[in-house]
Amino acid sequence: MLQKKIIFTTLVSLALTLSVSVSASADLDNSLPFLWPLPAQFTSGNDTLSVDPALSLSVSGNGGHSTIVREAFDRYRKIIFKHSFNGFSVFRGIRSGFDIGKLNVVVHSESEELQLGVDESYSLLVAKNDGRSIIGEATIEANTVYGALRGLETFSQLCSFDYGTKSVQIYKAPWYIQDKPRFAFRGLLLDTSRHYFPVNTIKQIIESMSYAKLNVFHWHIIDEESFPLEVPTYPNLWKGAYTKWERYTVEDAYEIVNFAKMRGINVMAEVDVPGHAESWGAGYPDLWPSATCREPLDVAKNFTFDVISGILSDMRKIFPFELFHLGGDEVHTDCWDSTPRVKQWLRNHNMTAKEAYQYFVLRAQEIAISKNWTPVNWEETFNAFAENLNPKTVVHNWLGSGVCPKAVAKGFKCIYSNQGFWYLDHLDVPWDRLYTAEPLEGINDSTKQELVLGGEVCMWGETADTSNVQQTIWPRAAAAADAYCIRRGIQAAPVTNFYARRPPVGPGSCYEQ
């Protein structure tokens, strides 16, 4: 894994060009800090401040005892001073006086509850302490610990290692930043069914998400190819895993959720029903309509819904996030019509196969809601029977443009993932197209705009495994998130690659190829 820190200048140049917050006369140079995503409001100056490698932390306010903030500071301190160690100034004879020796963090709320819409706003002041300032050298103020995390990320981006002086500098000080996210939901999907990803790889991806200030990890755990998750109530389900080594225990899932929370990231799990579920029958063949009809799941058996309820009950103990994804996409119902027993059930209930699809989705939604979850469904459910969807449904767009405007017009909330822009496995989509995609396109009413929770880039796993998943995600995911992308031990494709993951054609700078 590459350890050098590389700033993707092309992305930052675009951000500076498009942002109205930056002067048109700003020139990119070595002393210009690259903030990505660009804060909502900021001012800067012309001073250069040095940062003490022994930088200390002071946390105050009602959230002053938060381990989330303290552990985050330790992580960022290692990032900021990756080229330094406490004794290097003595060893090299460099001056020991530093402008910034302490980072003050003020957190007003003691709550560490992480849910959709948690306050992630913060303010950041970085100024030289001339003995007259009552504010201090560097101060982050936030209402919640999660706002403090975003402020720590921004502070780390202001810090640059000067290879001439062998010290960490903050250029263009003093800085005053006020920031808050545009959308409450800023997600990345990872598909662990088409290819299994070890827990450590998932953690690396979640860690990299925090650098881009993404805040929802959509875990597409299960699909037709494999069922890698342990479900204690139905222990044979993970017989659908590829091998006994390619599985996630309950403890693994807990670990991933807790790891994400420490970085201000929710985990939204997905159990896609009734389609994309062939792997379920490896452990419970009765879930298949027949030996030759293995999906959609058997709509005619109560056992099918008992299993769904058992899965969701077990998963509710692991995943505290209020949103739960129930899939509902690409359901081909011909199989039900061609299975005599299911066909008879349809006749008995005076249903067509298409109506049975609606029945299945709505019943699954009822199960999720009964467990205090808000259901999320792929857009096919909205396209097929919007008038009967539970009003709590969050519609997840993926097929193309125009769905979110229709969904919010009917009062539904929506998540934008237009596959023409934000499907990362579409390797021929360059980063600038991801950058310019707009979740609010076609929605002019401000009250309707509020129903768009945000957006999500999707890393489907058919063509990605541990050897290339990070290079496929980054840097294009950062463009979609309007986020800052740097290599902090995170493998990423060169930014100007038209086709993601294409290797360099020869020697050269990572800024240029």
Side-chain angles (χ1 to χ4, degrees):
M1 180 177 292
L2 295 176
Q3 294 300 316
K4 63 180 179 179
K5 179 179 179 181
I6 299 178
I7 300 173
F8 288 99
T9 310
T10 309
L11 284 175
V12 177
S13 300
L14 181 59
L16 296 177
T17 301
L18 296 181
S19 173
V20 297
S21 301
V22 178
S23 169
S25 63
D27 294 322
L28 289 178
D29 59 43
N30 291 333
S31 66
L32 181 62
F34 297 146
L35 299 180
W36 195 280
L38 206 62
Q41 298 178 9
F42 67 88
T43 61
S44 61
N46 292 305
D47 294 337
T48 297
L49 307 181
S50 59
V51 185
D52 192 343
L55 182 71
S56 63
L57 173 70
S58 173
V59 187
S60 59
N62 293 330
H65 299 291
S66 170
T67 58
I68 291 177
V69 173
R70 295 180 187 278
E71 290 188 15
F73 174 76
D74 290 340
R75 292 194 306 272
Y76 280 110
R77 194 166 173 272
K78 291 177 182 177
I79 291 171
I80 293 168
F81 299 107
K82 64 187 297 184
H83 296 293
S84 309
F85 62 94
N86 288 344
F88 86 98
S89 59
V90 175
F91 179 77
R92 294 187 176 273
I94 300 173
R95 67 184 179 87
S96 59
F98 296 93
D99 298 312
I100 297 178
K102 181 168 68 174
L103 177 62
N104 302 302
V105 179
V106 182
V107 181
H108 295 298
S109 174
E110 64 180 358
S111 173
E112 294 183 350
E113 182 180 7
L114 180 62
Q115 284 293 351
L116 184 69
V118 68
D119 190 340
E120 297 175 84
S121 65
Y122 66 92
S123 63
L124 169 62
L125 174 68
V126 182
K128 186 174 183 178
N129 190 344
D130 56 8
R132 294 174 292 180
S133 172
I134 62 173
I135 300 177
E137 298 165 328
T139 301
I140 295 170
E141 185 174 0
N143 290 323
T144 70
V145 294
Y146 304 109
L149 290 183
R150 308 305 175 224
L152 282 167
E153 172 60 37
T154 300
F155 177 77
S156 75
Q157 293 178 15
L158 290 176
C159 295
S160 302
F161 184 74
D162 187 306
Y163 286 86
T165 62
K166 304 291 184 180
S167 63
V168 172
Q169 308 280 349
I170 295 180
Y171 300 106
K172 307 297 182 184
W175 284 91
Y176 182 62
I177 295 171
Q178 288 184 302
D179 196 17
K180 62 179 181 180
R182 183 183 178 202
F183 293 110
F185 187 108
R186 307 181 304 283
L188 184 147
L189 175 149
L190 182 68
D191 170 11
T192 61
S193 175
R194 276 55 178 256
H195 279 97
Y196 173 84
F197 293 96
V199 171
N200 282 341
T201 299
I202 294 175
K203 286 182 176 181
Q204 290 167 7
I205 291 169
I206 291 172
E207 185 77 48
S208 67
M209 289 174 63
S210 71
Y211 302 153
K213 297 178 184 170
L214 301 179
N215 70 345
V216 178
F217 176 65
H218 178 175
W219 192 2
H220 187 88
I221 310 175
I222 302 156
D223 212 289
E224 61 190 87
E225 289 83 1
S226 73
F227 195 118
L229 182 68
E230 178 184 16
V231 179
T233 301
Y234 290 94
N236 290 338
L237 280 170
W238 70 352
K239 286 185 178 181
Y242 289 123
T243 67
K244 66 180 181 180
W245 301 283
E246 295 171 293
R247 290 173 168 176
Y248 303 105
T249 65
V250 167
E251 292 77 12
D252 290 335
Y254 270 120
E255 184 178 350
I256 288 167
V257 169
N258 291 331
F259 182 88
K261 181 180 180 180
M262 296 299 287
R263 287 147 183 83
I265 296 173
N266 283 297
V267 179
M268 179 175 70
E270 179 177 358
V271 173
D272 196 344
V273 293
H276 291 279
E278 180 179 344
S279 62
W280 299 35
Y284 296 95
D286 283 350
L287 293 170
W288 291 334
S290 71
T292 57
C293 170
R294 298 188 170 191
E295 63 180 18
L297 293 168
D298 195 332
V299 67
K301 291 179 181 175
N302 283 327
F303 176 63
T304 301
F305 298 96
D306 291 341
V307 172
I308 292 172
S309 181
I311 294 171
L312 268 58
S313 292
D314 287 349
M315 294 179 78
R316 198 63 176 108
K317 300 170 186 175
I318 303 170
F319 299 98
F321 189 40
E322 65 193 73
L323 301 183
F324 189 88
H325 210 299
L326 289 168
D329 62 313
E330 298 180 320
V331 178
H332 305 292
T333 58
D334 293 348
C335 181
W336 286 342
D337 273 328
S338 63
T339 303
R341 178 183 51 79
V342 177
K343 188 174 183 179
Q344 185 59 49
W345 182 88
L346 293 173
R347 288 174 179 167
N348 293 345
H349 288 79
N350 196 27
M351 284 187 196
T352 66
K354 297 297 184 184
E355 290 169 336
Y357 164 47
Q358 173 182 304
Y359 164 82
F360 198 117
V361 168
L362 297 183
R363 189 165 173 183
Q365 285 192 335
E366 290 174 1
I367 294 171
I369 292 169
S370 73
K371 302 181 190 308
N372 201 29
W373 259 322
T374 297
V376 183
N377 283 97
W378 295 108
E379 69 173 75
E380 285 94 327
T381 59
F382 174 81
N383 295 337
F385 44 88
E387 65 281 357
N388 293 322
L389 276 178
N390 190 289
K392 294 182 179 180
T393 304
V394 177
V395 177
H396 195 166
N397 153 248
W398 74 278
L399 285 171
S401 61
V403 174
C404 281
K406 294 176 183 177
V408 300
K410 292 182 177 293
F412 292 103
K413 293 178 180 178
C414 192
I415 297 170
Y416 177 90
S417 290
N418 187 333
Q419 65 172 338
F421 302 103
W422 284 4
Y423 267 33
L424 298 172
D425 58 315
H426 292 193
L427 302 182
D428 59 344
V429 178
W431 65 265
D432 55 330
R433 287 188 64 192
L434 280 81
Y435 186 93
T436 55
E438 174 51 66
L440 298 181
E441 181 182 7
I443 307 172
N444 299 317
D445 186 330
S446 60
T447 60
K448 299 301 183 184
Q449 289 179 347
E450 292 176 0
L451 294 176
V452 179
L453 298 181
E456 176 180 285
V457 289
C458 300
M459 184 62 260
W460 295 105
E462 287 90 344
T463 59
D465 61 15
T466 54
S467 70
N468 59 15
V469 65
Q470 289 281 47
Q471 297 97 319
T472 310
I473 292 172
W474 306 109
R476 292 181 305 150
D482 187 20
Y484 180 75
C485 183
I486 60 178
R487 275 190 195 166
R488 293 175 169 175
I490 302 300
Q491 296 176 347
V495 70
T496 56
N497 252 342
F498 185 82
Y499 289 95
R501 303 192 316 215
R502 185 186 63 190
V505 296
S509 168
C510 291
Y511 292 97
E512 299 172 356
Q513 60 177 347

